[in-house]
Amino acid sequence: MRTVYHEKLAQLADQLSRLCSLTGAAIEHATGALLHADPAAAEQTITDYRHIEALCTHAEECAIALLALQQPVAGELRSIVSWMQIVADVDRMGALAAHVAEIVLQRHPNHVLPTEVEHHFAEMGRVAHELAQSAQEVLATRDPDKAARIRDQDDEMDGLHRQLYTALMDRDWTHGVPAAVDLALLARFYERFADHAVEIGRRVVFQVTGTRLPEQAVGTH
Amino acid sequence: MRTVYHEKLAQLADQLSRLCSLTGAAIEHATGALLHADPAAAEQTITDYRHIEALCTHAEECAIALLALQQPVAGELRSIVSWMQIVADVDRMGALAAHVAEIVLQRHPNHVLPTEVEHHFAEMGRVAHELAQSAQEVLATRDPDKAARIRDQDDEMDGLHRQLYTALMDRDWTHGVPAAVDLALLARFYERFADHAVEIGRRVVFQVTGTRLPEQAVGTH
């Protein structure tokens, strides 16, 4: 019973690690779609998300099967519950990548990004992809130090997010309201994607050490 | 064992029903704060959320205790898992109400809303509050028909959301970029609040009937 349990737990960790890598690919495709106003890359992102969604449903079933196998020991139950929460984070990361792609498709054949913020979104895409990779590594290695450091990587995203808002709020913004509205929402999608990667790090720290890192502060909407 | 289990399940349903009512109060306070540029109401909303957050942590503990009590019967496990997902929805609804309040505080003493969209946000606030009430009723009564109808109520929110975007994207918009960016984000917070109420309805339908209603379509970011 114990052996089957540990085998299935390792399989679940492996599934989720691979899912993080798929969300990394999805946000990379979404960013490519955005930078090049490329509808094929946008469609690819939405296909990526459908795939992620199906794998998340499967991973959730695996976590439920683990609960059914598991003796009711409080600590281990909490750990399995946190696996299910990681599934929800990964699913949401995929959905956010798809939201970026949908804006690209809605505006096609127009470019969503004014040239001057292209670099900015390329950076947000790079950081989002790195965060997904870090979450993947943390799920594979279960290294709590690396997990706790995901939050530092997220500071870079928060900085990019703030800079973009400053640019949008500036009197010198010349690209009008519709572009600003799109960019504000896009920036929010990238920021939320990053937040979920941070949450995955927090949950792995909890699984490994039993300690909960403080939550992200209210105020970072 | 069974009796303790059913008692604890009823307590959990009751806790979550009351939590929905608190999220309804939180979004009402947030909307009041927004309409009257009232920092006290905004602070109240953030206090509401802290309270909701603590109660959600407690509800999650209760769900874990139920898992520990529960015989590993697949159908019931799925039901308890969906209770935990409802806790996450309620927590997120509280966080979204707090996000509305934070924008009010950031802009204080200025009004966030131009006069001409006040009515629009009053309506979004009303619908969000009604959705929280419906979720509360559904958790209390476990009526699957009422649960399925939450989605219809959400159509009203989607309509308000679309109308606001149309107004923001219009050439006649005279309130500039910063106001438009705030309004776009606020509208997104209300829309996501409503989405979580719909999710609660879907989860109750699943708990009661074992059937999953189709998910909300990708494309309604």
Side-chain angles (χ1 to χ4, degrees):
Chain A
M1 186 80 170
R2 292 275 83 183
T3 314
V4 176
Y5 169 70
H6 285 110
E7 238 169 57
K8 286 195 180 292
L9 190 60
Q11 281 169 9
L12 180 61
D14 192 45
Q15 276 177 55
L16 280 167
S17 177
R18 274 179 291 131
L19 266 162
C20 273
S21 142
L22 292 178
T23 64
I27 199 72
E28 207 169 32
H29 292 148
T31 307
L34 191 59
L35 294 172
H36 309 297
D38 176 353
E43 295 288 1
Q44 179 59 51
T45 311
I46 290 167
T47 306
D48 291 343
Y49 175 50
R50 295 276 174 233
H51 188 47
I52 289 166
E53 217 178 6
L55 291 174
C56 282
T57 303
H58 179 66
E60 195 182 289
E61 289 300 315
C62 293
I64 290 174
L66 266 177
L67 282 174
L69 264 179
Q70 177 56 2
Q71 304 296 321
V73 176
E76 286 185 353
L77 277 178
R78 280 196 177 74
S79 174
I80 301 176
V81 167
S82 82
W83 280 112
M84 286 192 290
Q85 292 165 334
I86 292 172
V87 175
D89 285 316
V90 168
D91 184 90
R92 194 72 204 134
M93 288 164 84
L96 288 160
H99 288 345
V100 171
E102 286 152 20
I103 292 191
V104 173
L105 291 176
Q106 282 162 13
R107 302 293 170 249
H108 185 73
N110 298 317
H111 278 248
V112 182
L113 301 183
T115 316
E116 73 201 62
V117 297
E118 275 178 8
H119 176 69
H120 203 92
F121 277 89
E123 282 295 288
M124 288 185 112
R126 175 187 61 74
V127 175
H129 185 237
E130 283 175 10
L131 279 160
Q133 279 180 316
S134 294
Q136 178 202 355
E137 278 169 44
V138 160
L139 287 166
T141 62
R142 308 187 57 65
D143 174 350
D145 296 329
K146 170 91 187 158
R149 281 200 304 276
I150 295 185
R151 184 184 283 251
D152 302 332
Q153 280 181 281
D154 181 44
D155 289 345
E156 198 176 352
M157 183 66 88
D158 288 341
L160 286 164
H161 193 244
R162 268 195 304 274
Q163 278 171 37
L164 183 79
Y165 270 72
T166 307
L168 294 181
M169 295 302 192
D170 197 87
R171 280 165 191 271
D172 295 339
W173 178 258
T174 55
H175 303 285
V177 169
V181 165
D182 278 345
L183 300 186
L185 285 176
L186 285 167
R188 170 130 187 108
F189 298 150
Y190 280 98
E191 192 207 13
R192 290 292 300 154
F193 184 99
D195 286 345
H196 285 286
V198 173
E199 278 303 306
I200 293 173
R202 285 183 71 235
R203 299 193 206 282
V204 171
V205 169
F206 169 69
Q207 287 176 339
V208 177
T209 68
T211 308
R212 292 196 193 272
L213 294 179
E215 289 209 31
Q216 297 168 76
V218 175
T220 56
H221 62 263
Chain B
M1 184 78 171
R2 291 275 85 184
T3 314
V4 176
Y5 169 71
H6 284 110
E7 240 170 56
K8 285 194 180 291
L9 190 60
Q11 282 168 10
L12 180 61
D14 192 45
Q15 276 177 57
L16 279 167
S17 177
R18 274 181 291 132
L19 266 162
C20 273
S21 143
L22 293 177
T23 64
I27 199 74
E28 208 170 30
H29 292 147
T31 306
L34 191 60
L35 293 173
H36 309 296
D38 177 353
E43 295 288 1
Q44 179 59 51
T45 311
I46 291 167
T47 306
D48 292 343
Y49 175 50
R50 295 276 174 235
H51 188 47
I52 289 166
E53 217 178 3
L55 291 174
C56 281
T57 304
H58 179 66
E60 194 181 290
E61 289 301 314
C62 292
I64 290 173
L66 264 177
L67 282 173
L69 266 178
Q70 177 56 4
Q71 305 296 322
V73 175
E76 288 186 352
L77 277 178
R78 279 195 178 75
S79 174
I80 302 177
V81 166
S82 81
W83 281 111
M84 286 192 291
Q85 291 165 334
I86 291 172
V87 175
D89 285 314
V90 168
D91 184 272
R92 194 74 203 133
M93 287 164 85
L96 289 160
H99 288 345
V100 171
E102 287 153 19
I103 292 192
V104 173
L105 291 175
Q106 282 164 12
R107 302 294 170 246
H108 185 74
N110 297 318
H111 278 249
V112 182
L113 301 183
T115 316
E116 73 201 60
V117 297
E118 275 176 9
H119 175 69
H120 202 93
F121 277 90
E123 283 294 289
M124 289 183 112
R126 176 186 60 75
V127 175
H129 185 238
E130 285 175 9
L131 280 160
Q133 279 181 316
S134 294
Q136 179 202 354
E137 280 168 42
V138 159
L139 286 167
T141 62
R142 308 186 59 65
D143 174 351
D145 295 329
K146 170 89 187 159
R149 281 200 304 274
I150 296 185
R151 183 184 286 250
D152 302 331
Q153 282 181 277
D154 182 44
D155 289 345
E156 198 177 351
M157 183 67 89
D158 288 341
L160 287 164
H161 192 244
R162 268 194 306 273
Q163 279 171 33
L164 183 79
Y165 270 72
T166 306
L168 296 181
M169 295 303 193
D170 196 83
R171 279 165 193 271
D172 295 338
W173 177 257
T174 56
H175 303 285
V177 169
V181 165
D182 279 345
L183 300 186
L185 286 176
L186 286 168
R188 171 134 185 105
F189 297 150
Y190 280 97
E191 192 207 12
R192 291 292 299 153
F193 183 99
D195 287 345
H196 285 286
V198 173
E199 277 304 305
I200 292 173
R202 285 183 69 236
R203 299 193 207 282
V204 171
V205 169
F206 169 69
Q207 286 176 338
V208 178
T209 68
T211 308
R212 291 196 194 273
L213 295 178
E215 289 209 32
Q216 296 167 76
V218 173
T220 55
H221 63 264

